[in-house]
């Protein structure tokens, strides 16, 4: 292909050489996972972790992270192949390092999947609330039909992802 360049140097983590397109896709996947972890952190604490907080945490573990490197990692501009950095970020976000360092088949951490389910449910609830306010003159039957449709869409997405651990009101977990 005319857009291809010679293979990138072998990754520090032992991955095979990557083409430019593969590197771009890997950078985008890493960015997606980092943004998911940031979203989970926001959901858990109510605040987005700052670059300064993340960099300070990593520094205590002997890992350096420049602001520009963080920016291009989070925005998917360049793929980073730095195992110690992945391990430090995984420790900061309390996930398995393979989630960051692994390929597209790396398993999603349970807490990330649970938070995504919660976000989807909250978005569906906002849509229902908006529809109820906006469509105030709509019949109750039509509102129920909209609710059923949204619930079915949410249930189908959940079923496609497989079983999840549910945290009950008393804090216990179950399937």
């Amino acid at each position: 292909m005319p857009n291809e360049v010679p293979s990138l140097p072998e990754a520090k983590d032992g991955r095979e050489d990557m083409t430019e397109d593969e590197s771009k896709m890997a950078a985008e996947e890493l960015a997606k996972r980092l943004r998911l972890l940031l979203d989970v952190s926001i959901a858990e604490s109510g605040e987005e972790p700052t670059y300064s907080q993340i960099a300070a945490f990593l520094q205590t573990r002997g890992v350096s992270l420049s602001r520009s490197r963080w920016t291009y990692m989070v925005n998917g501009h360049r793929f980073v192949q730095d195992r110690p950095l992945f391990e430090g970020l995984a420790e900061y976000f309390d996930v398995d390092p393979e989630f960051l360092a692994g390929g597209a088949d790396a398993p999603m951490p349970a807490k990330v999947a649970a938070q995504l389910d919660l976000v989807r449910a909250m978005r569906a609830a906002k849509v229902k609330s908006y529809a109820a306010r906006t469509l105030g003159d709509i019949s109750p039957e039509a509102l129920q039909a909209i609710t059923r449709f949204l619930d079915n869409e949410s249930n189908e997405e959940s079923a496609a992802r497989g079983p999840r651990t549910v945290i009950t009101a008393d804090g216990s977990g179950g399937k």
Side-chain angles (χ1 to χ4, degrees):
M1 289 183 185
N3 290 341
E4 282 191 16
V5 295
S7 297
L8 297 174
E10 186 168 326
K12 292 178 186 174
D13 63 1
R15 289 173 120 178
E16 295 179 19
D17 293 345
M18 299 173 77
T19 66
E20 184 178 353
D21 288 342
E22 290 169 334
S23 179
K24 183 178 178 183
M25 288 186 339
E28 290 169 358
E29 182 67 25
L30 175 61
K32 177 181 152 188
R33 291 174 188 208
L34 287 170
R35 287 191 303 266
L36 278 174
L37 293 175
L38 289 169
D39 288 346
V40 168
S41 187
I42 292 167
E44 290 176 343
S45 70
E47 296 179 356
E48 181 172 355
T50 65
Y51 156 77
S52 298
Q53 291 168 327
I54 295 168
F57 177 88
L58 292 172
Q59 192 66 45
T60 64
R61 280 140 184 87
V63 177
S64 179
L65 178 64
S66 69
R67 185 176 298 275
S68 59
R69 190 175 205 199
W70 175 247
T71 300
Y72 65 69
M73 286 172 58
V74 171
N75 292 318
H77 294 259
R78 192 177 313 152
F79 181 55
V80 174
Q81 300 176 20
D82 186 338
R83 188 66 181 194
L85 176 59
F86 290 158
E87 289 171 355
L89 288 170
E91 186 178 349
Y92 181 85
F93 289 107
D94 191 28
V95 295
D96 188 316
E98 289 308 310
F99 178 66
L100 294 173
D105 59 343
M108 183 177 296
K111 78 176 202 168
V112 173
Q115 285 293 336
L116 287 176
D117 288 343
L118 177 61
V119 168
R120 283 187 189 98
M122 290 170 62
R123 286 181 183 158
K126 284 183 183 179
V127 169
K128 290 175 193 175
S129 175
Y130 176 78
R133 287 191 317 271
T134 305
L135 307 172
D137 293 337
I138 197 166
S139 72
E141 294 81 15
L143 284 175
Q144 289 174 342
I146 292 169
T147 299
R148 280 192 305 275
F149 175 78
L150 292 171
D151 288 343
N152 285 339
E153 287 295 310
S154 178
N155 290 339
E156 287 175 13
E157 285 180 11
S158 293
R161 285 189 310 278
R164 297 281 182 246
T165 300
V166 177
I167 305 299
T168 60
D170 65 359
S172 64
K175 290 281 181 182

